[in-house]
Amino acid sequence: AGILDRSGRFQVDRAPERFSNSDGSVEFRLICAAESGGERDVTISQPDVENLIRTKGSIYAAADSLVQSVGLSFADVQKVYIAGAFGNKLDISSCIAIGLLPEVPAERIQFIGNSCVAGAKAAMLSRRMFDRVYEIRDRISYQELMVDPAYMDKYTSACFLPHTDVSRFPLVARRLAGQREGSCQGDPMG
């Protein structure tokens, strides 16, 4: 909606009536209290956005580092598994639009829920799955991202919406260009 610039800074002039200051921090009102049925407006603050950008930057940079460490690119990745209960609440197109996930076809992204519990249960109930755990363990390699000299550069580049290199997100770039031109086109991610 153009409320944030690519660095994640609020663009107050785009909707000044929806902004306020709370404890010295600028907040954007997502939903007013009357609409939400609550006692307070539902807001997002500039520090909230900054935290989101740092988090998504670290996730994207880590994925980029891991993929490159095995000589591949995101285009080579056939399946992206997102584990954890929180992942089930994420909207894929929104995650791609902000640069949390790489721009790959949505059908390649799969939420798998609490994989630790499911994997432990499968290993405990099946000897075959128990043996498979050891097969997989022997093929896993560990990568310490903080000693990867390129990781911090990747992280810094990923701390923009969606990324400093928008060519990594061509569909998002087209949507952003359409917004700048004032068009109201459908979501190319959907």
Side-chain angles (χ1 to χ4, degrees):
I3 301 300
L4 297 173
D5 68 12
R6 293 209 36 240
S7 69
R9 291 275 171 242
F10 282 134
Q11 302 301 294
V12 177
D13 60 321
R14 297 291 300 252
E17 72 284 356
R18 306 245 345 228
F19 285 93
S20 63
N21 267 330
S22 175
D23 299 325
S25 178
V26 176
E27 290 185 339
F28 176 74
R29 185 179 65 248
L30 297 166
I31 302 171
C32 69
E35 292 175 34
S36 72
E39 294 180 18
R40 295 180 25 180
D41 293 343
V42 177
T43 62
I44 186 168
S45 69
Q46 190 67 63
D48 292 334
V49 174
E50 292 164 4
N51 286 332
L52 171 69
I53 288 176
R54 283 192 301 271
T55 300
K56 79 95 188 168
S58 65
I59 292 169
Y60 185 89
D64 192 22
S65 292
L66 292 173
V67 168
Q68 285 188 0
S69 75
V70 293
L72 299 173
S73 72
F74 285 128
D76 299 314
V77 175
Q78 295 302 305
K79 203 66 156 169
V80 176
Y81 295 103
I82 300 176
F86 178 71
N88 290 323
K89 305 295 183 194
L90 299 175
D91 177 77
I92 292 172
S93 64
S94 294
C95 289
I96 292 171
I98 67 168
L100 173 68
L101 295 176
E103 192 172 283
V104 298
E107 61 271 7
R108 291 188 190 173
I109 300 172
Q110 181 179 349
F111 297 106
I112 59 173
N114 193 338
S115 59
C116 289
V117 171
K121 180 179 176 183
M124 289 173 44
L125 296 175
S126 164
R127 180 63 188 191
R128 185 179 63 78
M129 292 305 290
F130 184 81
D131 293 341
R132 182 84 174 114
V133 167
Y134 283 94
E135 290 172 24
I136 293 170
R137 181 200 66 185
D138 292 340
R139 295 183 8 221
I140 291 175
S141 61
Y142 174 79
Q143 183 170 351
E144 177 62 52
L145 294 173
M146 295 314 292
V147 298
D148 177 356
Y151 174 77
M152 280 311 290
D153 289 336
K154 291 176 187 300
Y155 169 74
T156 302
S157 294
C159 284
F160 287 82
L161 298 169
H163 194 278
T164 55
D165 181 1
V166 292
S167 69
R168 292 172 170 248
F169 297 86
L171 295 176
V172 175
R174 281 202 311 254
R175 184 170 73 187
L176 291 172
Q179 284 178 351
R180 282 191 295 273
E181 295 166 8
S183 75
C184 295
Q185 300 176 9
D187 182 358
M189 308 306 272

